[in-house]
Amino acid sequence: MTLPDDLFADVSPHLVYAYRQRAAAEPPSELRGHADPVRATLLGALCLLRSREITDGLVDLLIGTIHKFAPEPTSG
């Protein structure tokens, strides 16, 4: 799924996070019961923020791996 980076550009980050939390907490059957615009908003926030969390985690893992195998600097 591809979501534009500016999907929630005009929305407060606090509100986007609240949408994400609401979508994560609701069972799928409740999400399906929402009107299409509400469901799309909740799932869009969930997917966008979750993809950012996954990317951040992968970057942290890559940096940790690089530091693990990087040679120690020599003084001198």
Side-chain angles (χ1 to χ4, degrees):
M1 173 187 302
T2 303
L3 298 173
D5 288 332
D6 63 347
L7 181 63
F8 292 102
D10 297 332
V11 180
S12 156
H14 178 74
L15 186 56
V16 176
Y17 181 76
Y19 290 154
R20 182 232 190 271
Q21 291 299 98
R22 181 174 167 190
E26 289 187 9
S29 59
E30 284 186 33
L31 285 172
R32 283 190 291 273
H34 292 299
D36 288 345
V38 173
R39 183 173 56 244
T41 300
L42 295 176
L43 292 176
L46 175 68
C47 292
L48 185 68
L49 294 183
R50 186 66 186 125
S51 70
R52 289 179 183 171
E53 291 168 0
I54 291 169
T55 300
D56 289 347
L58 289 172
V59 169
D60 290 342
L61 183 62
L62 177 62
I63 290 170
T65 302
I66 289 170
H67 284 287
K68 182 177 178 179
F69 292 106
E72 292 291 322
T74 58
S75 59

